[in-house]
Amino acid sequence: MRRVLAIVSFVLAGALAPNIAAAQQAAKADSPPTFQPEPFWPKPLPEGWILGQVAGIAVSPDDHIWIIHRPATLLDDEKGLEKNPPEYKCCKAAPAVMEFDTDGNLLRHWGGAGAGHEWVKNEHGIHIDKDGSVWLGGNNDGDQILHFTPEGKFINQIGKDDGTKGPRSNDTARLNRPAHMFTDEAANEIYVADGYGNRRVIVFDAKSGAYKRHWGAYGNKPNDDKQPPYAPTAELSRQFSSPVHCVRIANDGLVYVCDRVNDRIQVFRKDGSFVKELRVTPATLANGSVWDLVLSEDKDQRFIFTADGANGQITTLLRETGEQIGQWGRQGRQPGQFKWVHNMAIDSKGNLYTAEVGFGRRVQKFKRTN
């Protein structure tokens, strides 16, 4: 009898195992993602190099992590090795563009003016396309979007500097302090969050640089009129504020835009038609709560993670509804804390990477734990 019961139990366990595994997977999918900082990522840089303000981070198709930082922002007491003769052992600026593997090993580095191109005046934003080529930008007057091979060989430039200053949000050739960019590989287009000077998303042909289209908040024509300061209880602005700080394209073709100071994400179709907006920590004033966003690594991209530089935290939203389901981090210098968390990236395993322009001036890795 005992043998019969043991056999029945074994058969039932085998039959139920797939259902249990499926239930566990479903529970994981419905659970807010959780993360653990890896405090020793990346590994120490060689040659006495140190980072300035880290103004962009991206993950390539091979799960390598790329950053762009601002070498000119080193403090006086961080440039001892740049003096002649050296004043002390620390330090000198690392190259502006750096590539790491997921273990934090430095793989490649380059940056600066070269054959056929100038360099941006204030580094801001980096994106790696499906071919592994590198797009980067700057947010000073006249800065453009530059396109390079992974080795740092110049390919082309998007946007033209005509030497003038000031916003022109309906100029089809001139960017004004762009903040971020993202490629649509199928359409061979590049979307630019433009940015700190202009108040729009603008789309170009990724190879020729030819203008395609642009739009402002709610898909309307943007303007450069002075806007009233953001107030949580006031009517929502019909224009983007400054800066329009990020643009991302989801797997389903929806375009997500960070309207940073207005504490919101606006969602569009690729033609610029408005779909919806999601408000994030709407009581936030000053620098705003939506500095960057990334979409989760699952096929349906169920979650949105937002970088909140003002509050020093990461917020998790359900992409479909915008419901806030998680929030972690705080202002500070310890692992897992932030000062002006500026940009984020996510790898194929769901690990998050953050870049800071505040006093931390660092990158951090957060391993997904569920």
Side-chain angles (χ1 to χ4, degrees), residues 28-33 256 265 267 276-280 294-296 298 300-306 315-326:
K28 178 179 178 180
D30 290 334
S31 301
Y256 289 74
I265 300 164
V267 187
K276 62 184 177 181
E277 66 184 351
L278 312 174
R279 301 187 74 186
V280 183
V294 291
L295 304 166
S296 57
D298 55 290
D300 295 328
Q301 298 181 304
R302 295 186 63 244
F303 304 107
I304 300 174
F305 308 106
T306 67
T315 300
T316 305
L317 310 174
L318 289 176
R319 183 163 79 101
E320 181 64 28
T321 64
E323 177 188 355
Q324 179 181 308
I325 59 171

Side-chain angles (χ1 to χ4, degrees), residues 171-182:
D171 190 316
T172 61
R174 181 180 175 275
L175 299 174
N176 193 310
R177 307 181 66 196
H180 188 245
M181 70 296 296
F182 203 91

Side-chain angles (χ1 to χ4, degrees), residues 118-274:
E118 297 180 350
W119 193 248
V120 292
K121 298 178 182 67
N122 191 50
E123 293 85 354
H124 198 296
I126 187 169
H127 170 66
I128 314 299
D129 65 25
K130 71 175 181 63
D131 297 323
S133 64
V134 181
W135 299 83
L136 58 88
N139 71 329
N140 206 334
D141 284 324
D143 280 340
Q144 310 303 307
I145 303 298
L146 303 176
H147 186 197
F148 297 90
T149 68
E151 297 76 26
K153 182 180 178 181
F154 178 67
I155 299 174
N156 67 340
Q157 175 177 309
I158 302 293
K160 181 180 179 181
D161 178 10
D162 62 6
T164 62
K165 298 182 182 297
R168 281 184 288 179
S169 290
N170 291 295
D171 190 316
T172 61
R174 181 180 175 275
L175 299 174
N176 193 310
R177 307 181 66 196
H180 188 245
M181 70 296 296
F182 203 91
T183 50
D184 178 358
E185 316 295 351
N188 192 37
E189 293 178 336
I190 181 165
Y191 289 64
V192 180
D194 183 34
Y196 280 80
N198 295 330
R199 298 194 191 111
R200 63 181 178 180
V201 173
I202 186 168
V203 185
F204 299 94
D205 184 279
K207 288 187 177 179
S208 69
Y211 165 80
K212 292 293 194 70
R213 59 195 175 276
H214 73 275
W215 65 86
Y218 299 102
N220 297 327
K221 182 178 179 179
N223 68 55
D224 299 314
D225 297 342
K226 185 176 180 179
Q227 301 296 308
Y230 171 77
T233 57
E235 181 181 355
L236 295 175
S237 174
R238 304 305 295 180
Q239 293 286 329
F240 288 135
S241 184
S242 173
V244 185
H245 208 245
C246 86
V247 59
R248 304 273 183 181
I249 304 175
N251 292 341
D252 59 12
L254 292 177
V255 179
Y256 289 74
V257 179
C258 299
D259 190 6
R260 191 174 98 180
V261 176
N262 285 326
D263 295 347
R264 65 186 178 186
I265 300 164
Q266 289 207 332
V267 187
F268 303 89
R269 298 180 183 88
K270 291 182 181 180
D271 62 2
S273 56
F274 177 73

